Amino acid sequence: MVANLTGTDWLRALRTDADPRTVLVCFPPGGGSATAYRALAQRFGAGIAVYAVQYPGRQDRMAEQQIPDLGELAAQAVQDLLRWPADTAIAIFGHSMGATVAFEAARRWEAAGRTLDHLFVSGRPAPDFVEPGRLHLESDGALIDQLELLGNDPALIQMLRDEPGFAELILPAVRNDYQAVETYRHRAGDRLRAPITALISTSDPTTTVAQVGEWAAHTVGSFDVATFEGGHTYLDMPENTSAVADLVTARLRASR
């Protein structure tokens, strides 16, 4: 396996490995950045390198134009992934909005003739689900209320309410990503060859077990569902971070 992969504006190394068998590429949730996966990356053992996608308009890409289109986010990330050596074995992980972007990236990766070891989708209905809301057209207050409903850090929510300057930094990315999710429409095409594992938490207000099960229709490979305690932000819980890393590792071993 290739040890020295090149990071780019879109691809950030979170965990390197001297001889990785698989590179796990993670797509952040709405309003998030590559660092959303820093804790998860550190839970993996030898043989797995972890990269995360950095969307434009956040952190060190703050000055760049936001992209309110999930397919375009996937296309640009895959453009950089395809610069890696052709024998690079990758798996893809995405949570919430990132799950749909991950799916679109997986389609493009396979369409380019590359093999995907596994697709992990977390906290998101299958791609043919049409988001009914129009939060991207609502007030900043409505956006903050939604973030609070999803179980985000209470201290962060309070800062958004109390400090307008902080809200001006954070909310444009949140609004952009809600627009991307709410205007996304799945286009029928070939099903993935890669196996899919769907992850769901027990108290996620955005996704039901039935909706997660519908991901099975998007692969000709194997499919399974894994359930974790917590709400939409269950990945932030240390016990779940370790459990998800163990699950991903086990599935990658099975895929190989």
Side-chain angles (χ1 to χ4, degrees):
M1 218 4 260
V2 179
N4 297 315
L5 299 174
T6 303
T8 68
D9 283 348
W10 284 84
L11 304 171
R12 307 300 173 87
L14 297 183
R15 185 185 190 279
T16 58
D17 190 276
D19 187 25
R21 294 183 297 274
T22 307
V23 181
L24 182 67
V25 180
C26 300
F27 286 80
S33 63
T35 54
Y37 291 105
R38 182 178 290 159
L40 178 64
Q42 299 311 310
R43 298 297 195 277
F44 287 100
I48 298 178
V50 182
Y51 279 70
V53 172
Q54 186 76 303
Y55 304 137
R58 41 219 93 183
Q59 293 186 331
D60 60 336
R61 301 188 71 186
M62 186 70 74
E64 298 181 44
Q65 184 72 35
Q66 306 264 4
I67 299 177
D69 184 295
L70 302 187
E72 183 62 23
L73 288 171
Q76 295 206 32
V78 170
Q79 186 175 30
D80 277 15
L81 284 172
L82 289 171
R83 295 173 182 167
W84 286 354
D87 63 346
T88 304
I90 78 163
I92 294 178
F93 186 105
H95 175 64
S96 193
M97 179 190 89
T100 309
V101 187
F103 167 74
E104 289 290 346
R107 297 176 93 183
R108 287 160 172 78
W109 180 258
E110 289 194 345
R114 301 291 186 94
T115 298
L116 182 66
D117 282 5
H118 211 104
L119 173 64
F120 299 91
V121 290
S122 168
R124 183 73 189 148
D128 33 10
F129 172 76
V130 176
E131 191 68 47
R134 285 295 178 267
L135 263 170
H136 72 279
L137 300 176
E138 299 291 340
S139 67
D140 285 355
L143 287 177
I144 295 171
D145 289 344
Q146 179 67 12
L147 294 178
E148 187 172 33
L149 175 66
L150 296 181
N152 283 54
D153 180 2
L156 172 65
I157 298 301
Q158 198 59 47
M159 288 179 66
L160 289 171
R161 295 193 191 283
D162 295 344
E163 301 183 23
F166 181 67
E168 287 176 6
L169 287 175
I170 301 299
L171 292 183
V174 174
R175 187 178 299 280
N176 173 86
D177 293 353
Y178 269 108
Q179 180 180 350
V181 168
E182 291 169 352
T183 58
Y184 171 79
R185 297 295 181 268
H186 172 255
R187 295 182 180 179
D190 292 340
R191 290 191 287 172
L192 294 176
R193 299 184 296 275
I196 296 177
T197 295
L199 292 72
I200 187 172
S201 55
T202 54
S203 302
D204 190 334
T206 72
T207 311
T208 68
V209 173
Q211 287 173 325
V212 162
E214 291 171 359
W215 279 98
H218 294 276
T219 179
V220 298
S222 63
F223 173 77
D224 70 309
V225 175
T227 303
F228 299 86
E229 294 294 324
H232 188 66
T233 56
Y234 77 98
L235 274 172
D236 294 339
M237 301 166 61
E239 62 272 26
N240 283 337
T241 305
S242 296
V244 168
D246 290 344
L247 171 78
V248 170
T249 300
R251 295 296 184 275
L252 291 179
R253 285 174 180 159
S255 295
R256 287 194 293 269

